[in-house]
């Protein structure tokens, strides 16, 4: 599974052109490809890709039902706009908006309730890694899902070390393998995809995908360029 997180990028015309370019990329039917455009373009992009196998996702949503919440978009709305997944708990949102796994539980439940799947992000900061706490942090971010009895069979997890996001510094194969093994041990199931994210590029993709336990990638910057995104998909397919 290779998912593009476009973050707060693209105006409408660029977004539609990028979606069309992604749709034109060849890939085998066993690779699931998803794109997560800004919420405003979801509707139009879902229309563009509707006859293809490309999945469309939101980058966030709230877990509440309809009501007085100015500026918010809930799971039913993104589902209705054509999404099949929602990124939740991205480190940029954890850092900026104080999101935590505990606070996100109702959103995870709401997203699952619509039939979509959450792409639940976890990952440590540079400081946490340097002080030897990386796995404690990631385990701590996963534990609330287990405690709440969330069905992890319907979830995709993305391990994204914060220090590797948007920095060009990809984690080493050893770091990735170690953390993916830790995640796998905590969730205790084999059928939950665990993606890696953090500066995945055409250059780093082979190394990332050869790491044991990696089920694909959550790609930020490189997903804004169709050729680079296609090269990452190609790296996955020759693995
Ligand atoms: P990046 O972003 O590939 O630009 O590092 C990944 C992400 O934040 O999902």
């Amino acid at each position: 599974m290779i998912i593009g997180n476009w973050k707060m990028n693209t105006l409408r015309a660029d977004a539609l052109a990028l979606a069309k370019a992604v749709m034109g990329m060849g890939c085998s039917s066993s690779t699931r490809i998803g794109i997560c455009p800004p919420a405003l373009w979801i509707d139009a992009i879902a229309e563009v890709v509707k006859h293809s196998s490309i999945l469309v996702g939101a980058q966030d949503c709230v877990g509440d039902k309809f009501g007085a919440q100015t500026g918010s978009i809930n799971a039913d709305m993104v589902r209705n706009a054509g999404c099949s997944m929602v990124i939740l708990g991205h480190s940029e949102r954890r850092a900026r908006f104080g999101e935590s796994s505990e606070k996100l539980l109702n959103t995870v439940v709401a997203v699952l309730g619509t039939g979509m799947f959450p792409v639940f992000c976890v990952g440590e900061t540079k400081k946490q890694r340097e002080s030897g706490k990386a796995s404690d942090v990631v385990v701590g971010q996963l534990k609330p899902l287990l405690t709440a009895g969330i069905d992890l069979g319907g979830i995709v997890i993305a391990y994204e070390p914060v220090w590797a996001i948007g920095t060009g510094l990809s984690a080493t194969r050893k770091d990735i393998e170690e953390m993916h093994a830790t995640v796998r041990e905590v969730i205790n199931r084999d059928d939950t995809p665990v993606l890696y994210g953090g500066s995945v590029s055409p250059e780093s993709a082979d190394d990332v995908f050869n790491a044991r336990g990696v089920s694909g990638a959550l790609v930020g910057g490189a997903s804004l360029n169709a050729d680079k995104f296609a090269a990452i998909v190609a790296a996955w397919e020759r693995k």
Side-chain angles (χ1 to χ4, degrees):
M1 178 179 279
I2 313 289
I3 298 174
N5 173 11
W6 296 1
K7 307 192 181 183
M8 195 175 67
N9 291 295
T10 66
L11 291 176
R12 186 185 170 88
D14 312 318
L16 291 176
L18 184 53
K20 281 180 191 150
V22 170
M23 208 171 59
M25 263 166 38
C27 75
S28 85
S29 58
S30 60
T31 307
R32 281 212 279 172
I33 297 188
I35 49 177
C36 300
L40 278 173
W41 319 139
I42 287 172
D43 204 34
I45 286 179
E47 186 60 30
V48 166
V49 304
K50 74 178 177 200
H51 296 303
S52 77
S53 57
I54 309 280
L55 304 177
V56 181
Q59 298 172 15
D60 179 51
C61 72
V62 299
D64 301 317
K65 285 289 169 190
F66 302 101
Q69 263 196 57
T70 304
S72 298
I73 299 173
N74 73 15
D76 293 302
M77 291 165 169
V78 294
R79 176 67 177 153
N80 193 222
C83 287
S84 354
M85 63 182 155
V86 184
I87 298 174
L88 293 179
H90 190 282
S91 61
E92 285 151 16
R93 298 197 59 85
R94 287 181 187 264
R96 230 168 207 273
F97 304 107
E99 290 184 359
S100 64
S101 295
E102 288 82 0
K103 287 188 190 163
L104 288 164
L105 283 175
N106 76 325
T107 315
V108 170
V109 171
V111 166
L112 288 169
T114 63
M116 296 186 290
F117 61 89
V119 180
F120 192 82
C121 303
V122 295
E124 81 287 355
T125 61
K126 187 163 188 274
K127 201 161 153 215
Q128 289 163 335
R129 175 157 286 270
E130 283 170 355
S131 56
K133 299 207 175 79
S135 52
D136 289 349
V137 169
V138 169
V139 170
Q141 289 169 336
L142 290 170
K143 276 277 163 72
L145 298 176
L146 298 166
T147 311
I150 304 283
D151 176 13
L152 296 174
I155 284 194
V156 172
I157 291 170
Y159 166 55
E160 299 202 300
V162 178
W163 48 273
I165 295 178
T167 57
L169 297 171
S170 190
T172 64
R173 183 168 163 176
K174 181 169 164 283
D175 292 341
I176 298 174
E177 287 184 346
E178 280 175 8
M179 194 61 86
H180 277 246
T182 301
V183 170
R184 196 58 76 196
E185 201 179 306
V186 174
I187 62 176
N188 193 24
R189 48 191 306 163
D190 294 331
D191 56 346
T192 302
V194 184
L195 312 180
Y196 170 78
S199 296
V200 178
S201 64
E203 294 73 35
S204 68
D206 283 316
D207 239 24
V208 167
F209 295 149
N210 281 321
R212 232 186 342 262
V214 171
S215 323
L218 182 55
V219 185
S223 71
L224 292 168
N225 177 308
D227 292 337
K228 288 188 182 174
F229 194 56
I232 292 168
V233 171
W236 173 255
E237 297 195 329
R238 66 175 169 262
K239 175 182 120 89

